[in-house]
Each structure stands twice: as C-alpha cells, then as structure tokens.
C-alpha cells in the first residue's frame, strides 16, 4: 500500500516539561549522546512502531531539537493496513543551498530496550546537532529521526517519497546512524567507487584523529569492500540516487561475514533481550562510551568538513 504522508509543523517554544541536561557535558564527546540514549531506552523503553512509547520518543526528540533552537517539524505518515508513525525533522541553515541529510531511526523492536538499535544513533545525532548549533556548516543540514524503520524502513521511504527532484538534486549525501553502541568494531560504509566520498572522508577524519573506525573488509563477495546491504534507512536515499555514508558498530569477520553478527562473545545484540544498557555495561565496560564518543566526533567533523579534502586537528 502506498505510504500516505502529512506534514505537521509544530510551532512554539519547548514545553515546560522538556528534559534538559547540564551545559558542561555538551562538548564532552559522547556524553550528551549517552544521556539521550539512556533516556530513550530507560525512561521510555522499547519503542515499537505505532505504540504509545514510539509517540513518547517522537515527542522527546522533537522537544530536544526545539530546545536546541532548530526549526522542527513532525512528518506523519501511514503505511501498510492503517498503521501510523512519524518522522521528526530539524533544519540547520548552512553556507550554501545544498544540503546534507543525517538520519537515525528512533523506533525499536519489542525485545530489549533498543539501546543499541537505535537509541545510540539518535543520541549521536542529537549531540552533534547541539554541538553544531552555532557553527556555520558548509551545507544546510537536515536532521531526521525516522519512525517505523523496523517495519520495513517506512519512515525513510516516506521521507524520500515526498522529496522533489530539485531537493534530491541539491542533496550532497545522506549519513545514516544505526546501531552504534554494541558491536565489536566501528565501521563506516558508502557507495562503491567515487560516490563513496562520505565513507572516504570519514576514514580520513578517523586517521587524522586516531579514531578506531574501519570499513567492511569485503570478505563476502555479496558485500564488496567499503559497502553494505540495503537493510537500513540509507537504502531509500541510495535508490533515489543520493550518495550515502553509514555508521555502524558490528563485526564483519564472524558468522556469515555479512555484518549481522555483532560480537564474538554474544553474537547478535540487536533484536534480542541483551539490547539493554545494563547488559552492555556489564559485558563490555567502556565500550558504549568509547563508541558514542568516536561516532559523535566523526559525525560532527563530517558535517563541518564535508567539502574539504583535509580536516582540522
């Protein structure tokens, strides 16, 4: 069934109940991302598409973008047989009329609390949005929290379906953040060939800042080196001809060599009861903090230096 889309612009200042965080943590890489992740996973819990908890997560993300000071909208859409969800969209003006889209889905499955998949990605997106608020980026940035990803990428499909050809043509690329906390290794993927410039710039930033980020080594012929499968919110943008970069933590050297098995010790974390913060902190002390710090640094620098061949130290 075709996705039905409606755009609701929510006007006004953040509500009195908006959650706030100490200003002192804003520039400690990963610290604010951790707080957002913790709130989504532990204060709200699992966020199955179409449930009250998904709506609570939508409201939280909307209020955080608005608190930071961005123009923010809620894009409602329907899919399947009468199911409803929404995307939360925040706009950051840049130095040119071209734009970068940054996306992370906020829904989860019912198992676990969706810490890794994908409160971690939303947390990193919200942190970078706050850090960059007063920094002029080379391009406009559109931050999108996608709903109903776990139901077949419904939020990203809905967003791409409403893009005009002019908007597609003016989009330099899309950066997808999905499952950043649990996996053994930190990765970035992108298109094959020259269209993989977001991946290549990410690896450049990681090398200069001595961050432990790599790319898919290409051990499986089904997934050539540097690329990945079309199973997350980058896929609809890729299908529309938009270059993508995709940040993820997993392990491409175990299991079926397809990146689905995240850890040597416990296999998959996503979509299991182990996708909760208590388990991750107990089994992998320090990993979550390291990953959020690294990915927040990477995303922030990507948005600052996407049009550069070198990056600041």
């Amino acid at each position: 069934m075709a996705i039905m889309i409606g755009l609701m612009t929510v006007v006004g200042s953040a509500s009195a109940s908006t959650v706030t965080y100490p200003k002192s943590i804003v520039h400690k890489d990963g610290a604010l991302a951790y707080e957002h992740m913790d709130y989504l996973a532990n204060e709200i819990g699992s966020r199955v598409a179409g449930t009250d908890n998904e709506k609570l997560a939508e409201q939280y993300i909307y209020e955080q973008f608005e608190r930071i000071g961005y123009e923010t909208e809620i894009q409602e859409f329907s899919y399947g047989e009468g199911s409803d969800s929404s995307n939360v969209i925040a706009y950051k003006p840049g130095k040119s009329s071209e734009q970068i889209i940054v996306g992370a889905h906020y829904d989860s499955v019912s198992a676990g609390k969706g810490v890794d998949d994908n409160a971690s990605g939303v947390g990193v997106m919200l942190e970078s949005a706050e850090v960059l608020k007063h920094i002029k980026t080379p391009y406009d940035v559109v931050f999108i929290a996608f709903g109903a990803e776990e139901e077949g990428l419904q939020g990203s499909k809905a967003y791409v379906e409403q893009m005009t050809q002019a908007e597609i043509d003016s989009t330099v690329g899309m950066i997808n953040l999905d499952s950043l906390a649990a996996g053994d290794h930190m990765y970035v993927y992108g298109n094959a060939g020259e269209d993989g410039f977001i991946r290549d710039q990410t690896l450049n930033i990681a090398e200069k800042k001595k961050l432990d980020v790599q790319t898919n080594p290409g051990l499986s012929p089904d997934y050539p080196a540097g690329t990945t499968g079309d199973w997350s919110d980058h896929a609809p943008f890729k299908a529309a001809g938009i270059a993508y970069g995709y940040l993820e933590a997993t392990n491409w050297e175990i299991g079926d060599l397809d990146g689905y098995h995240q850890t040597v010790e416990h296999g998959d974390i996503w979509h299991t009861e182990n996708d909760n913060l208590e388990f991750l902190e107990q089994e992998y002390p320090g990993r979550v903090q390291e990953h959020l710090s690294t990915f927040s640094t990477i995303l922030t620098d990507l948005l600052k230096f996407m049009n550069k061949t070198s990056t600041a130290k």
Side-chain angles (χ1 to χ4, degrees):
M1 180 178 291
I3 298 172
M4 303 298 293
I5 305 169
L7 191 63
M8 178 175 67
T9 304
V10 186
V11 181
S13 60
S15 70
S17 61
T18 298
V19 179
T20 60
Y21 299 100
K23 292 182 179 180
S24 60
I25 69 172
V26 172
H27 293 283
K28 295 179 181 178
D29 293 338
L32 187 55
Y34 189 99
E35 295 297 327
H36 289 307
M37 178 189 70
D38 183 44
Y39 189 93
L40 287 165
N42 289 325
E43 294 299 321
I44 296 177
S46 65
R47 303 165 302 282
V48 175
T51 65
D52 290 344
N53 274 10
E54 192 197 32
K55 178 61 69 172
L56 288 173
E58 171 219 279
Q59 293 170 352
Y60 172 81
I61 296 163
Y62 170 81
E63 289 175 355
Q64 290 303 308
F65 278 132
E66 195 180 46
R67 175 187 60 77
I68 296 167
Y70 289 117
E71 176 189 346
T72 308
E73 297 175 336
I74 294 174
Q75 179 189 58
E76 299 176 333
F77 60 89
S78 299
Y79 63 94
E81 298 297 328
S83 298
D84 299 312
S85 185
S86 61
N87 298 325
V88 185
I89 309 167
Y91 301 93
K92 175 183 172 20
K95 295 179 181 178
S96 82
S97 59
E98 294 182 298
Q99 66 180 13
I100 294 283
I101 293 172
V102 179
H105 75 89
Y106 65 92
D107 65 311
S108 73
V109 299
S110 58
K113 294 188 175 180
V115 172
D116 179 57
D117 187 11
N118 184 37
S120 62
V122 176
V124 166
M125 179 171 66
L126 287 172
E127 175 172 305
S128 287
E130 186 141 5
V131 170
L132 291 169
K133 170 59 181 172
H134 298 295
I135 295 174
K136 275 291 185 181
T137 50
Y139 304 111
D140 292 347
V141 182
V142 183
F143 297 102
I144 310 173
F146 296 115
E149 187 267 359
E150 300 291 0
E151 297 299 316
L153 317 182
Q154 299 298 335
S156 50
K157 287 178 180 177
Y159 184 85
V160 172
E161 284 187 6
Q162 61 80 45
M163 293 181 77
T164 65
Q165 190 58 50
E167 288 171 332
I168 291 172
D169 292 342
S170 68
T171 302
V172 175
M174 186 270 181
I175 302 170
N176 183 41
L177 313 167
D178 197 354
S179 300
L180 306 181
D184 289 336
H185 306 297
M186 292 177 282
Y187 295 96
V188 60
Y189 323 118
N191 302 76
E194 292 183 358
D195 287 341
F197 64 90
I198 300 177
R199 173 197 59 237
D200 297 343
Q201 180 69 327
T202 299
L203 294 173
N204 181 34
I205 292 168
E207 180 181 8
K208 288 183 176 295
K209 295 207 164 181
K210 296 180 170 56
L211 301 173
D212 188 16
V213 177
Q214 55 190 292
T215 193
N216 166 23
L219 299 178
S220 169
D222 294 330
Y223 306 103
T227 70
T228 189
D230 293 338
W231 44 59
S232 188
D233 284 314
H234 65 293
F237 294 89
K238 176 186 172 186
I242 296 170
Y244 77 92
Y246 177 178
L247 301 177
E248 180 186 54
T250 187
N251 192 330
W252 282 84
E253 300 177 10
I254 58 177
D256 296 329
L257 307 179
D258 58 1
Y260 197 82
H261 300 282
Q262 295 170 280
T263 67
V264 170
E265 295 88 354
H266 297 284
D268 307 340
I269 302 297
W270 47 39
H271 298 189
T272 75
E273 290 294 334
N274 289 338
D275 193 359
N276 68 78
L277 194 52
E278 182 180 7
F279 175 84
L280 293 175
E281 296 282 29
Q282 176 182 312
E283 295 298 310
Y284 303 105
R287 174 176 290 188
V288 174
Q289 290 84 349
E290 178 193 5
H291 284 198
L292 296 184
S293 174
T294 297
F295 283 124
S296 292
T297 299
I298 287 289
L299 178 59
T300 300
D301 275 13
L302 269 176
L303 297 175
K304 287 164 63 177
F305 304 116
M306 183 65 75
N307 65 333
K308 304 290 186 181
T309 56
S310 61
T311 62
K313 288 290 186 182

